[in-house]
Amino acid sequence: MGQAAEDVPVIYLHEIKRQYMQGEVPLTILNGAKLALWAGQSVALVAPSGSGKSTLLHIAGLLETPDDGEVYVSGAPTSQLADVERTQIRRTDIGFVYQSHRLLPEFTALENVMLPQMIRGLRRSETIKRSTEILSYLGLGERIRHRPTELSGGEQQRVAIARAVANAPRVLLADEPTGNLDPNTADHVFHALMQLVKATNVAMLIATHNMELAGRMDRRVSLVNGEVVELE
Ligand code: ADP
Ligand code: MG
């Protein structure tokens, strides 16, 4: 990677607007939101329920299209891209972790992590090697043959994180990833996320209600009247 990659945010949200219709009444959720996410930096998004955190994450992850504004990925605008191109960027550059693990129940931890790499076209032997490494790195080396129901909540969430980073994305977006976990387990999962930022230089945005965890991240932002504001 050259100099240029470091000078440009991995994700830049510019003047994002998003409305939902509530019956006949338009409900403005995001109203000119701006946010830059940088390689190697962890950002906490702390805001009340219903303020638009998930909406912002979905837009940053190209899962949802804003009504106005632009999402730049590594400096390139995405609003005019065809669906197939957006999907390609999602596969290679963006990792997403949800509050519930959303692992495929029929598959083992290893297979769940292998799948996105196989879809991307990597050789099976290569995906086994990479997936085993990532799972071991996250402390799941002894659990790779377990199915989701044979894992604890924290373990399931760490498999979901392994799956999200399997294709070495530039950005990891996590929507209340520790929301369903007890404090100790949440701490463990949070630690795994922080470890990945340092080890892989990924940019990370985590929506969370946990102020203690947010306090340990590089930067904190909130949503006020549809705009992103820096905290502190
Ligand atoms: P948060 O993640 O901060 O709790 P969300 O982004 O999920 O907030 O939602 C923000 C607001 O937008 C909420 O009031 C929610 O009801 C509304 N909303 C979210 N998605 C939709 C949708 N698909 N249709 C209509 N309203 C929605
Ligand atoms: Mg939400």
Side-chain angles (χ1 to χ4, degrees), residues 108-128:
T108 64
L110 182 67
E111 290 163 345
N112 268 282
V113 179
M114 287 170 64
L115 273 170
Q117 299 169 74
M118 310 250 333
I119 290 168
R120 196 183 161 196
L122 288 191
R123 281 207 325 279
R124 187 179 163 80
S125 57
E126 178 70 7
T127 68
I128 291 173

Side-chain angles (χ1 to χ4, degrees), residues 93-106:
D93 291 352
I94 298 165
F96 215 101
V97 178
Y98 297 89
Q99 182 166 356
S100 63
H101 58 77
R102 299 197 185 187
L103 297 171
L104 297 172
E106 307 301 323

